[in-house]
């Protein structure tokens, strides 16, 4: 990118532009407020219409139930039995599908199962009065209780509370079994936990549940303690999981085949009764998945109306949009908007700002005071005198300056004349160079002088044109001492 046209945003000028075009901001805000309130109104109205239609369809469905009862009365016992059989097959398929969808166990890869295995050992506290066989019987009873506790999901309610997963799906992931082949070696047992990344580590729940249950039954068969022998993890093929997945898929296939066979010769009356019955099955499954919600409650229809709240929100969003649009305009405009832009974008010294004589010594608006300062307490002659001193100080030993501008025709003639006279009194002659970019004679005249200043108008000066003038001065070894902004 050309370094002369790299843009910087002057925050003060940005806020001045926001205030100057306040009417546009109000217009955008009002339109956005009306648009948002209208959108919400139309949306609520459409939702109400859809809700009325649903209520109407429900009422129609209740009327249809009476017709279904009449149709059922026309069917014989065999036809009704086939309808009930088809509905039962449909219910089985839905339950299997729900189980496959929600079961963590069924979602595992049976050929790569990540398991945690924990081995526990039972030790009796008092054994002096017991024979070896008696000790083994007590140990076997205690181990059986603990194994049954794990296999029956005694800890699953706690896991469900902290994970949100139904206890029945937790039960499938944990199992326990005794060790040994006879009653004389059953003082240890193993717990198998199938790990799942989404569920997280549940082994701590199993351990604490087993410890609490052990405390409950301690003393029933004898006092004992439970010790952890080892705990390790492995990845293996689980043949029982393979068989379980195949079994569910086979059951779904068989139920689907039988359903199609039963329905193959259904009459129109049987189909009506069947469709009505499976609707009740779907509702039952939906109610199970959304437990706690009252699906039968009649919704309340609130009349749609224009909301002042959304109008205010839209108004605020409109103001934000207006600020964004002005910012985008600042970023992509082709003009120098702020007087500080000559220094920040082009590195050219700004001598100052010179306004028409009629604007000095009078009360000014707040906006103009922010932009140019208090003009009431400053005289025109004082300002132009200070500018002349600054120019003379920057151009020591120079008695002739070329005056260039990206748009000389837009410069106020009275301001230029006053400036020319004041600098003449300081011993500096100003020579107009109106078309240095397009007129060879003007260019030669500027080169022969060798020094120049620029008169520009922030808000009108084109960035590209001024950049070309600056580059032209650099290429022709003409010293551009600074810019006077004349508005």
């Amino acid at each position: 990118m050309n370094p002369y046209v790299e843009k910087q945003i002057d925050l003060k000028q940005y806020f001045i532009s926001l205030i100057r075009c306040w009417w546009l901001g109000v217009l955008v805000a009002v339109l956005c407020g009306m648009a948002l309130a209208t959108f919400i109104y139309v949306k609520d109205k459409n939702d109400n219409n859809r809700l009325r239609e649903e209520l109407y369809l429900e009422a129609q469905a209740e009327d249809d139930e009476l017709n279904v009862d009449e149709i059922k009365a026309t069917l014989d016992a065999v036809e009704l039995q086939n309808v009930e059989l088809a509905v039962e097959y449909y219910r089985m398929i839905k339950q299997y599908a729900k189980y496959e969808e929600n079961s963590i166990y069924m979602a595992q890869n049976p050929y790569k199962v990540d398991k945690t295995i924990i081995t526990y050992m039972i030790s009796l506290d008092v054994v002096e009065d017991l024979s070896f066989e008696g000790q083994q019987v007590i140990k076997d009873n205690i181990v059986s209780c603990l194994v049954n506790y794990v296999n029956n999901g005694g800890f699953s309610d706690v896991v469900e509370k902290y994970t949100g997963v139904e206890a029945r799906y937790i039960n499938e992931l944990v199992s326990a079994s005794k060790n040994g082949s006879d009653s004389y070696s059953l003082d240890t047992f193993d717990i198998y936990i199938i790990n799942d990344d989404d569920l997280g580590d549940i082994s701590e729940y199993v351990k604490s549940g087993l410890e609490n249950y052990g405390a409950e039954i301690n003393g029933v068969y004898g006092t004992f303690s439970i010790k952890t022998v080892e705990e390790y993890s492995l990845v293996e093929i689980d043949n029982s999981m393979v068989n379980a997945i195949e079994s569910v898929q086979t059951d779904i296939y068989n139920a689907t085949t039988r359903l199609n066979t039963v329905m193959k010769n259904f009459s129109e009356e049987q189909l009506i009764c069947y469709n009505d019955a499976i609707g009740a099955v779907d509702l039952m499954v939906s109610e199970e998945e959304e437990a706690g919600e009252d699906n039968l409650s009649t919704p309340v229809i609130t009349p749609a109306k224009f909301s002042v709240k959304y109008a205010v929100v839209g108004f605020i969003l409109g103001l934000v949009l207006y600020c964004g649009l002005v910012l985008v305009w600042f970023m992509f405009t082709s003009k120098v908007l702020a007087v500080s832009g000559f220094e920040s974008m082009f590195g050219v010294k700004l001598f100052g700002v010179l306004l028409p004589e009629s604007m000095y010594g009078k009360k000014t608006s707040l906006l103009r005071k922010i932009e140019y300062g208090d003009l009431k307490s400053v005289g025109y002659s004082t300002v132009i005198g200070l500018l002349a001193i600054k120019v003379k100080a920057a151009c020591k030993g120079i008695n002739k300056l070329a005056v260039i501008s990206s748009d000389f025709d837009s410069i106020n003639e009275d301001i230029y004349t006053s400036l020319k006279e004041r600098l003449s009194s300081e011993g500096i002659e100003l020579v107009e160079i109106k078309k240095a970019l397009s007129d060879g004679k003007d260019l030669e005249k500027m080169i022969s002088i060798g020094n120049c200043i620029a008169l520009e108008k922030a808000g009108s000066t084109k960035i590209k044109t001024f950049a070309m003038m600056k580059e032209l001065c650099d290429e022709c070894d003409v010293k551009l001492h600074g810019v006077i902004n004349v508005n």
Side-chain angles (χ1 to χ4, degrees):
M1 177 183 288
N2 191 324
Y4 294 134
V5 295
E6 186 174 333
K7 296 181 182 178
Q8 294 184 13
I9 296 176
D10 186 284
L11 290 179
K12 184 176 78 171
Q13 192 63 37
Y14 171 68
F15 287 115
I16 289 173
S17 299
L18 289 176
I19 298 172
R20 182 171 287 147
C21 299
W22 63 269
W23 57 270
L24 179 60
V26 172
L27 178 62
V28 172
V30 169
L31 291 177
C32 288
M34 294 177 61
L36 182 61
T38 302
F39 171 78
I40 297 298
Y41 169 77
V42 173
K43 178 180 177 296
D44 290 345
K45 188 174 182 180
N46 291 337
D47 290 343
N48 287 345
N49 291 338
R50 183 170 60 253
L51 190 55
R52 289 190 183 95
E53 183 178 353
E54 291 176 357
L55 293 175
Y56 172 77
L57 293 176
E58 289 178 5
Q60 288 292 104
E62 292 178 359
D63 294 338
D64 292 342
E65 289 180 3
L66 300 176
N67 297 331
V68 170
D69 292 336
E70 295 176 359
I71 293 173
K72 282 183 179 179
T74 64
L75 300 178
D76 58 32
V78 175
E79 290 174 330
L80 281 175
Q81 185 178 5
N82 287 335
V83 170
E84 293 173 356
L85 187 60
V87 171
E88 180 62 21
Y89 288 142
Y90 180 83
R91 184 189 62 77
M92 291 172 57
I93 294 170
K94 292 288 289 186
Q95 288 183 338
Y96 281 130
K98 180 184 176 183
Y99 171 68
E100 278 193 317
E101 180 182 356
N102 297 325
S103 173
I104 300 175
Y105 182 82
M106 296 296 290
Q108 303 298 313
N109 179 0
Y111 301 100
K112 191 178 179 182
V113 182
D114 182 10
K115 290 183 178 181
T116 296
I117 301 176
I118 308 173
T119 301
Y120 288 99
M121 182 175 67
I122 300 301
S123 298
L124 296 179
D125 295 339
V126 180
V127 296
E128 290 83 356
D129 300 332
L130 297 174
S131 63
F132 177 77
E133 291 79 3
Q135 295 178 30
Q136 291 302 106
V137 170
I138 293 175
K139 288 181 180 180
D140 181 51
N141 290 333
I142 295 173
V143 168
S144 296
C145 288
L146 296 174
V147 168
N148 290 337
Y149 167 80
V150 174
N151 289 332
N152 292 331
F155 59 89
S156 299
D157 292 340
V158 177
V159 180
E160 179 179 4
K161 177 181 178 181
Y162 288 98
T163 64
V165 180
E166 290 186 44
R168 55 177 171 166
Y169 300 126
I170 299 294
N171 294 346
E172 298 177 310
L173 303 177
V174 183
S175 60
S177 64
K178 298 178 180 180
N179 289 329
S181 57
D182 53 59
S183 61
Y184 294 98
S185 59
L186 293 180
D187 56 351
T188 63
F189 64 98
D190 292 332
I191 294 181
Y192 305 89
I193 303 173
I194 297 176
N195 299 314
D196 182 77
D197 293 337
D198 294 332
L199 182 63
D201 185 12
I202 63 172
S203 61
E204 294 302 321
Y205 299 114
V206 178
K207 293 176 183 178
S208 61
L210 187 67
E211 182 179 344
N212 293 335
Y213 181 71
E216 290 180 14
I217 65 172
N218 208 333
V220 175
Y221 298 101
T223 56
F224 63 93
S225 59
I226 306 175
K227 299 179 181 178
T228 302
V229 177
E230 63 176 339
E231 178 179 345
Y232 60 95
S233 298
L234 57 80
V235 177
E236 65 177 3
I237 299 175
D238 192 327
N239 291 321
S240 61
M241 184 181 292
V242 174
N243 295 333
I245 293 175
E246 290 179 351
S247 176
V248 171
Q249 293 174 345
T250 301
D251 290 341
I252 293 175
Y253 174 78
N254 291 337
T256 304
T257 302
R258 292 167 183 169
L259 174 63
N260 293 333
T261 301
V262 172
M263 293 184 62
K264 185 176 181 180
N265 298 317
F266 266 17
S267 64
E268 183 177 350
E269 290 78 9
Q270 285 177 298
L271 284 174
I272 293 175
C273 296
Y274 170 77
N275 289 329
D276 178 70
I278 65 173
V281 172
D282 291 337
L283 180 61
M284 179 182 65
V285 173
S286 175
E287 288 176 344
E288 289 177 357
E289 293 177 349
E290 301 176 4
E293 295 185 7
D294 186 3
N295 296 322
L296 302 178
S297 60
T298 303
V300 178
I301 300 178
T302 305
K305 60 181 180 179
F306 283 97
S307 174
V308 176
K309 177 180 70 175
Y310 288 111
V312 172
V313 172
F315 185 86
I316 295 173
L317 292 177
L319 291 178
V320 175
L321 176 62
Y322 166 67
C323 293
L325 292 174
V326 174
L327 181 61
V328 171
W329 176 64
F330 257 72
M331 294 173 61
F332 293 99
T333 183
S334 61
K335 297 179 179 180
V336 179
L337 298 178
V339 293
S340 61
F342 297 106
E343 287 184 317
S344 62
M345 288 192 289
F346 304 101
V348 179
K349 181 178 180 180
L350 177 68
F351 289 123
V353 178
L354 187 58
L355 304 176
E357 186 176 1
S358 60
M359 296 179 61
Y360 292 93
K362 297 179 181 180
K363 186 177 181 180
T364 57
S365 64
L366 178 62
L367 188 62
R368 193 172 295 276
K369 185 180 293 186
I370 295 174
E371 189 171 8
Y372 299 114
D374 188 6
L375 302 179
K376 183 179 179 180
S377 59
V378 181
Y380 180 72
S381 59
T382 303
V383 174
I384 200 169
L386 289 173
L387 283 175
I389 293 173
K390 289 181 179 180
V391 173
K392 184 178 181 179
C395 306
K396 290 181 179 180
I398 299 173
N399 55 17
K400 182 184 287 189
L401 287 173
V403 181
I404 61 176
S405 178
S406 60
D407 186 9
F408 226 115
D409 294 334
S410 66
I411 303 300
N412 187 301
E413 185 67 26
D414 294 336
I415 293 178
Y416 175 67
T417 302
S418 300
L419 182 64
K420 185 175 182 180
E421 292 175 354
R422 187 67 180 80
L423 283 173
S424 178
S425 66
E426 296 289 340
I428 299 177
E429 179 186 355
L430 297 183
V431 179
E432 295 180 19
I433 306 295
K434 292 187 175 182
K435 298 180 179 180
L437 292 175
S438 59
D439 191 308
K441 292 182 179 181
D442 279 355
L443 178 59
E444 290 179 2
K445 188 187 298 184
M446 182 182 73
I447 294 174
S448 65
I449 296 173
N451 296 279
C452 68
I453 61 172
L455 299 183
E456 299 294 337
K457 290 180 65 175
S460 299
T461 299
K462 292 186 177 180
I463 295 175
K464 185 176 181 181
T465 304
F466 191 84
M468 292 172 62
M469 287 177 52
K470 176 68 169 57
E471 290 178 2
L472 182 64
C473 290
D474 293 341
E475 292 173 0
C476 297
D477 293 328
V478 176
K479 175 68 174 178
L480 178 57
H481 291 275
V483 177
I484 297 176
N485 187 78
V486 288
N487 279 43

Coordinates of all heavy atoms in Angstrom, one line a residue, residues 212-245:
N212 N -20.5 -48.3 50.9 CA -21.7 -48.0 51.8 C -22.6 -49.2 52.0 O -23.1 -49.5 53.1 CB -22.5 -46.9 51.1 CG -21.8 -45.6 51.1 OD1 -20.9 -45.3 51.9 ND2 -22.1 -44.7 50.1
Y213 N -22.7 -50.0 50.9 CA -23.6 -51.2 51.0 C -22.9 -52.3 51.9 O -23.5 -53.0 52.7 CB -23.8 -51.8 49.7 CG -24.7 -53.1 49.7 CD1 -26.1 -53.0 50.0 CD2 -24.2 -54.3 49.5 CE1 -26.9 -54.1 50.1 CE2 -25.0 -55.5 49.6 CZ -26.3 -55.3 49.9 OH -27.1 -56.4 49.9
G214 N -21.5 -52.3 51.8 CA -20.8 -53.3 52.7 C -21.0 -52.9 54.2 O -21.1 -53.8 55.0
A215 N -21.1 -51.6 54.5 CA -21.3 -51.1 55.9 C -22.7 -51.5 56.3 O -22.9 -51.8 57.5 CB -21.1 -49.6 55.9
E216 N -23.7 -51.5 55.4 CA -25.1 -51.9 55.8 C -25.2 -53.3 56.2 O -25.9 -53.7 57.1 CB -26.0 -51.5 54.6 CG -26.2 -50.1 54.3 CD -27.1 -49.8 53.2 OE1 -27.8 -50.8 52.8 OE2 -27.2 -48.7 52.7
I217 N -24.5 -54.2 55.4 CA -24.7 -55.7 55.7 C -23.6 -56.2 56.6 O -23.6 -57.4 56.9 CB -24.7 -56.5 54.4 CG1 -23.3 -56.4 53.7 CG2 -25.8 -56.0 53.4 CD1 -23.1 -57.3 52.5
N218 N -22.7 -55.4 57.0 CA -21.6 -55.8 57.9 C -22.3 -56.3 59.3 O -23.0 -55.5 59.9 CB -20.6 -54.7 58.2 CG -19.3 -55.2 58.5 OD1 -19.1 -56.4 59.0 ND2 -18.2 -54.5 58.2
G219 N -22.1 -57.5 59.6 CA -22.6 -58.0 60.9 C -23.8 -59.0 60.6 O -24.2 -59.7 61.5
V220 N -24.4 -58.9 59.4 CA -25.5 -59.8 59.1 C -25.0 -61.3 59.1 O -25.6 -62.2 59.7 CB -26.1 -59.4 57.8 CG1 -27.2 -60.5 57.4 CG2 -26.7 -58.0 57.9
Y221 N -23.9 -61.5 58.3 CA -23.3 -62.9 58.3 C -22.1 -62.9 59.2 O -21.5 -64.0 59.4 CB -23.0 -63.2 56.8 CG -24.2 -63.3 55.9 CD1 -24.4 -62.2 55.1 CD2 -25.0 -64.4 55.9 CE1 -25.5 -62.2 54.2 CE2 -26.1 -64.4 55.1 CZ -26.4 -63.3 54.2 OH -27.4 -63.4 53.4
G222 N -21.6 -61.8 59.6 CA -20.3 -61.7 60.3 C -19.7 -60.4 60.0 O -20.0 -59.8 58.9
T223 N -18.8 -60.0 60.9 CA -18.1 -58.7 60.6 C -17.0 -59.0 59.6 O -16.2 -60.0 59.7 CB -17.6 -58.1 61.9 OG1 -16.7 -59.1 62.5 CG2 -18.7 -57.7 62.8
F224 N -16.8 -58.1 58.7 CA -15.8 -58.3 57.6 C -15.3 -57.0 57.1 O -15.8 -55.9 57.5 CB -16.4 -59.1 56.5 CG -17.5 -58.4 55.8 CD1 -17.2 -57.6 54.7 CD2 -18.8 -58.4 56.2 CE1 -18.2 -56.9 54.0 CE2 -19.8 -57.8 55.6 CZ -19.5 -57.0 54.5
S225 N -14.2 -57.0 56.4 CA -13.7 -55.8 55.7 C -13.5 -56.2 54.2 O -13.2 -57.3 53.9 CB -12.4 -55.4 56.4 OG -11.4 -56.4 56.3
I226 N -13.6 -55.1 53.4 CA -13.4 -55.3 51.9 C -12.1 -54.6 51.6 O -11.9 -53.4 51.9 CB -14.5 -54.6 51.2 CG1 -15.9 -55.2 51.6 CG2 -14.4 -54.9 49.7 CD1 -17.1 -54.5 51.0
K227 N -11.2 -55.3 50.9 CA -9.9 -54.8 50.5 C -9.8 -54.9 48.9 O -10.3 -55.8 48.3 CB -8.8 -55.6 51.1 CG -8.8 -55.5 52.6 CD -7.6 -56.3 53.2 CE -7.6 -56.3 54.7 NZ -6.5 -57.1 55.3
T228 N -9.2 -53.8 48.4 CA -8.9 -53.8 46.9 C -7.6 -54.5 46.7 O -6.6 -54.2 47.2 CB -8.8 -52.3 46.4 OG1 -10.0 -51.6 46.7 CG2 -8.6 -52.3 44.9
V229 N -7.7 -55.6 45.9 CA -6.5 -56.4 45.5 C -5.8 -55.7 44.4 O -4.6 -55.5 44.4 CB -6.9 -57.8 45.1 CG1 -5.7 -58.6 44.7 CG2 -7.6 -58.5 46.3
E230 N -6.5 -55.4 43.3 CA -5.8 -54.7 42.2 C -6.9 -54.0 41.3 O -8.1 -54.3 41.4 CB -5.1 -55.7 41.3 CG -5.9 -56.8 40.6 CD -5.1 -57.7 39.7 OE1 -4.0 -57.2 39.3 OE2 -5.6 -58.8 39.4
E231 N -6.4 -53.0 40.6 CA -7.3 -52.3 39.7 C -6.5 -51.9 38.4 O -5.4 -51.4 38.5 CB -7.8 -51.0 40.3 CG -8.7 -50.1 39.4 CD -9.2 -48.9 40.1 OE1 -9.1 -48.8 41.3 OE2 -9.7 -48.0 39.4
Y232 N -7.1 -52.3 37.3 CA -6.3 -52.0 36.0 C -7.4 -51.8 34.9 O -8.6 -52.1 35.0 CB -5.4 -53.2 35.7 CG -6.1 -54.5 35.5 CD1 -6.5 -55.0 34.3 CD2 -6.4 -55.3 36.6 CE1 -7.1 -56.2 34.1 CE2 -7.0 -56.6 36.5 CZ -7.3 -57.0 35.3 OH -8.0 -58.2 35.1
S233 N -6.8 -51.3 33.8 CA -7.7 -51.1 32.6 C -7.1 -51.9 31.4 O -5.9 -52.1 31.3 CB -7.7 -49.6 32.2 OG -8.3 -48.8 33.3
L234 N -8.1 -52.2 30.5 CA -7.6 -52.9 29.3 C -8.7 -52.7 28.2 O -9.8 -52.2 28.4 CB -7.5 -54.4 29.6 CG -8.7 -55.2 30.1 CD1 -9.7 -55.6 29.1 CD2 -8.1 -56.5 30.8
V235 N -8.3 -52.9 27.0 CA -9.1 -52.9 25.8 C -9.2 -54.3 25.2 O -8.2 -54.9 24.9 CB -8.6 -51.8 24.8 CG1 -9.5 -51.8 23.5 CG2 -8.5 -50.5 25.4
E236 N -10.5 -54.8 25.0 CA -10.6 -56.1 24.6 C -11.9 -56.3 23.7 O -12.7 -55.4 23.7 CB -10.7 -57.1 25.7 CG -11.9 -56.9 26.6 CD -12.0 -57.9 27.8 OE1 -11.1 -58.7 27.9 OE2 -13.0 -57.8 28.5
I237 N -12.0 -57.4 23.1 CA -13.3 -57.8 22.4 C -14.2 -58.3 23.4 O -13.9 -59.2 24.2 CB -13.0 -58.8 21.3 CG1 -12.0 -58.2 20.2 CG2 -14.3 -59.3 20.6 CD1 -11.6 -59.3 19.2
D238 N -15.5 -57.8 23.4 CA -16.5 -58.3 24.3 C -17.5 -59.1 23.5 O -18.4 -58.6 22.8 CB -17.2 -57.1 25.0 CG -18.0 -57.5 26.2 OD1 -18.6 -58.6 26.1 OD2 -18.1 -56.7 27.1
N239 N -17.4 -60.4 23.6 CA -18.3 -61.3 22.8 C -19.8 -61.2 23.3 O -20.7 -61.3 22.5 CB -17.8 -62.8 23.0 CG -16.5 -63.0 22.2 OD1 -16.3 -62.4 21.1 ND2 -15.6 -63.8 22.8
S240 N -20.0 -61.0 24.6 CA -21.3 -60.8 25.1 C -22.0 -59.6 24.5 O -23.2 -59.6 24.2 CB -21.3 -60.8 26.6 OG -20.6 -59.7 27.1
M241 N -21.2 -58.5 24.3 CA -21.7 -57.3 23.7 C -22.0 -57.5 22.2 O -23.1 -57.0 21.7 CB -20.7 -56.1 23.8 CG -21.2 -54.8 23.3 SD -20.0 -53.5 23.5 CE -19.9 -53.3 25.2
V242 N -21.2 -58.3 21.5 CA -21.5 -58.6 20.1 C -22.8 -59.4 20.0 O -23.7 -59.1 19.2 CB -20.3 -59.5 19.6 CG1 -20.7 -60.0 18.2 CG2 -19.0 -58.7 19.5
N243 N -23.0 -60.3 20.9 CA -24.2 -61.1 20.9 C -25.4 -60.2 21.2 O -26.5 -60.4 20.7 CB -24.1 -62.3 21.9 CG -23.1 -63.3 21.5 OD1 -22.8 -63.4 20.3 ND2 -22.5 -64.0 22.5
A244 N -25.3 -59.3 22.2 CA -26.4 -58.4 22.6 C -26.8 -57.5 21.5 O -28.0 -57.3 21.2 CB -26.0 -57.6 23.8
I245 N -25.8 -56.9 20.8 CA -26.2 -56.1 19.6 C -26.8 -56.9 18.5 O -27.8 -56.4 17.9 CB -24.9 -55.4 19.1 CG1 -24.3 -54.4 20.2 CG2 -25.1 -54.6 17.8 CD1 -23.0 -53.8 19.8

